[in-house]
Amino acid sequence: MEFDDLMGALSRQAGDGGDIPKDEDGVVRFAVGDITVAMMELPELGEMVIWSRMGELPAYGAEKLKTALLRGNFLGRDTGGATLSLSESDEIYLHRRLEMRPLDGEAFVEILTGFVQLMDAWRKIIVAYVPLAESEAETDGEMPSGDGFGIQV
């Protein structure tokens, strides 16, 4: 399917049925609860990219969180094939590229639903991590060890 057709399927699934507007850069943004998801067509590749900001690295304990994020990326184990990344301004993102041609509207909405659920899970992990990092700064103690930072996806 084409990008605009997939956006139409998303709009119908949401019960809107109208066009989902693109900004001047061709980016579509929409909110699911308090999660904002952005999508953009990569026409030269026949792909699209979906992304969302999950939070920022904490002032303390950033290295341990980076390690946990990298471990989550390993073989797509905890990301469902999406990728966790870090912007130049230390913002944490989840993104996924999709080949559009084999998708139909139903499959696209299913993938997008899974992406939002994954976003929600990782955001909870990051939010839960920040108090642990602040606690480490206050006590100069060790961060909890084990699988990642003690929270499973």
Side-chain angles (χ1 to χ4, degrees):
M1 285 185 95
E2 299 292 320
F3 185 77
D4 291 336
D5 296 330
L6 294 171
M7 295 303 103
L10 177 61
S11 179
R12 286 187 297 281
Q13 180 71 24
D16 180 23
D19 289 337
I20 298 178
K22 297 177 190 174
D23 69 13
E24 65 275 358
D25 296 319
V27 177
V28 171
R29 288 183 175 79
F30 66 95
V32 178
D34 65 343
I35 296 174
T36 299
V37 178
M39 296 177 285
M40 182 173 65
E41 180 179 14
L42 305 172
E44 65 281 357
L45 301 173
E47 295 180 349
M48 66 182 299
V49 63
I50 304 168
W51 72 93
S52 189
R53 182 184 178 279
M54 294 192 297
E56 296 179 9
L57 283 178
Y60 300 98
E63 290 305 313
K64 290 184 186 273
L65 179 54
K66 286 180 190 177
T67 299
L69 295 170
L70 283 171
R71 287 186 177 143
N73 268 335
F74 182 68
L75 301 176
R77 180 186 74 189
D78 294 332
T79 62
T83 304
L84 294 159
S85 59
L86 189 62
S87 74
E88 292 150 357
S89 57
D90 286 340
E91 296 173 314
I92 303 164
Y93 284 84
L94 182 70
H95 62 90
R96 181 170 180 185
R97 288 174 62 161
L98 298 170
E99 186 178 349
M100 292 185 297
R101 188 186 55 209
L103 290 177
D104 62 20
E106 187 177 321
F108 172 65
V109 169
E110 187 175 311
I111 289 169
L112 195 54
T113 300
F115 182 86
V116 170
Q117 291 169 345
L118 189 61
M119 272 291 308
D120 189 45
W122 274 102
R123 277 187 8 165
K124 287 176 182 172
I125 289 169
I126 292 165
V127 167
Y129 182 85
V130 172
L132 295 175
E134 291 171 353
S135 173
E136 176 187 340
E138 292 170 6
T139 63
D140 259 350
E142 291 289 317
M143 292 293 289
S145 60
D147 187 18
F149 35 82
I151 302 171
Q152 302 251 342
V153 177

